[in-house]
């Protein structure tokens, strides 16, 4: 029939048009206009707000590059110096020791001591000699003083019983003593009495009578009376020992 053919053609045409329309609608829903397929909203978890009192800083302890535990925060107060104190180098030993006053000893004489002469009330007709070490080293007094009054040519003898058990040794600034029996007394026991106004004291060495230069000691302005009974004591450590004889 002539009428049925066009009807089928129209139905086919309408069906094709509907199919094209549906295809276009599907393309519109699948594309976002940039040619990129939109798969919908991302399903990534959202970040939650920090709890009350949380500053947002990471304060958990962490491990530093050297394996030490750090606090996770920097103070910025470093001094820039090495925290490890390095020992100071010590000078090399020379093997030498400095002499001390006890080891560097010299002989007492006029270059290292000062001598004073003093009259005493007891014993009568006696005088006290005081020797003071004015040097920087300890000095030793050997034997007894060789006293010379005026222009005398001989040395008066020593009282043997006054010899000490050890050599008198003087640290710097210390003193030693000797007694001088000037005359035989008021009864004229001595001979060749005279008055002298000058006195010089000489010293003995360790192995010789020559101990170095002597020292002058001032006498009273009126001088002192002496005679041939003049004697001296050995050097003593104390004043009382010097005036015992």
């Amino acid at each position: 029939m002539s009428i049925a053919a066009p009807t089928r053609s129209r139905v086919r045409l309408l069906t094709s048009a509907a199919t094209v329309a549906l295809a276009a609608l599907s393309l519109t829903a699948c594309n976002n206009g940039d040619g990129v397929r939109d798969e919908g909203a991302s399903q990534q978890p959202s970040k939650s707000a920090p709890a009350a009192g949380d500053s947002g800083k990471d304060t958990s302890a962490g491990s530093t590059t050297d394996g030490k535990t750090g606090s996770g925060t920097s103070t910025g107060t470093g001094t820039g110096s090495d925290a490890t104190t390095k020992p100071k180098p010590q000078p090399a030993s020379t093997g030498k020791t400095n002499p001390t006053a006890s080891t560097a000893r010299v002989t007492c004489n006029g270059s290292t001591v000062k001598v004073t002469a003093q009259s005493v009330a007891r014993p009568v007709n006696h005088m006290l000699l005081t020797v003071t070490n004015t040097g920087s080293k300890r000095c030793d007094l050997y034997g007894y003083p060789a006293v010379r009054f005026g222009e005398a040519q001989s040395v008066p003898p020593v009282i043997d019983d006054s010899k000490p058990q050890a050599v008198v040794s003087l640290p710097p600034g210390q003193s030693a003593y000797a007694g001088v029996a000037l005359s035989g007394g008021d009864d004229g026991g001595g001979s060749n009495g005279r008055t002298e106004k000058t006195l010089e004291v000489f010293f003995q060495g360790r192995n010789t009578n020559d101990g170095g230069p002597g020292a002058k000691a001032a006498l009273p302005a009126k001088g002192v009376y002496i005679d041939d009974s003049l004697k001296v004591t050995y050097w003593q450590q104390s004043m009382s020992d010097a005036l015992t004889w």
Side-chain angles (χ1 to χ4, degrees), residues 115-131 144-149 155-159 162 177-185 198-202 217 219 224-236 239-245:
V115 182
T116 60
Q118 176 185 358
S119 297
V120 295
R122 292 286 185 274
V124 295
N125 302 325
H126 275 64
M127 186 173 65
L128 178 69
L129 297 180
T130 302
V131 175
Y144 55 91
V147 297
R148 180 185 182 187
F149 287 93
V155 175
V158 65
I159 302 174
S162 66
Y177 310 90
V180 182
L182 298 173
S183 63
T198 61
L199 171 63
E200 192 169 4
V201 179
F202 296 92
L219 294 176
V224 293
Y225 180 84
I226 64 173
D227 60 26
D228 291 342
S229 61
L230 179 68
K231 294 181 180 181
V232 298
T233 69
Y234 284 91
W235 292 113
Q236 307 291 330
M239 184 185 303
S240 59
D241 288 342
L243 295 177
T244 299
W245 293 272

Side-chain angles (χ1 to χ4, degrees), residues 146-190:
V147 297
R148 180 185 182 187
F149 287 93
E151 298 298 326
Q153 300 298 315
S154 61
V155 175
V158 65
I159 302 174
D160 291 332
D161 291 343
S162 66
K163 187 175 183 178
Q165 295 182 349
V167 173
V168 177
S169 185
L170 294 180
Q174 297 299 308
S175 299
Y177 310 90
V180 182
L182 298 173
S183 63
D186 295 337
D187 58 0

Side-chain angles (χ1 to χ4, degrees), residues 2-16:
S2 59
I3 298 175
T7 300
R8 287 195 295 267
S9 298
R10 185 178 296 177
V11 172
R12 189 181 298 114
L13 181 60
L14 291 174
T15 301
S16 298

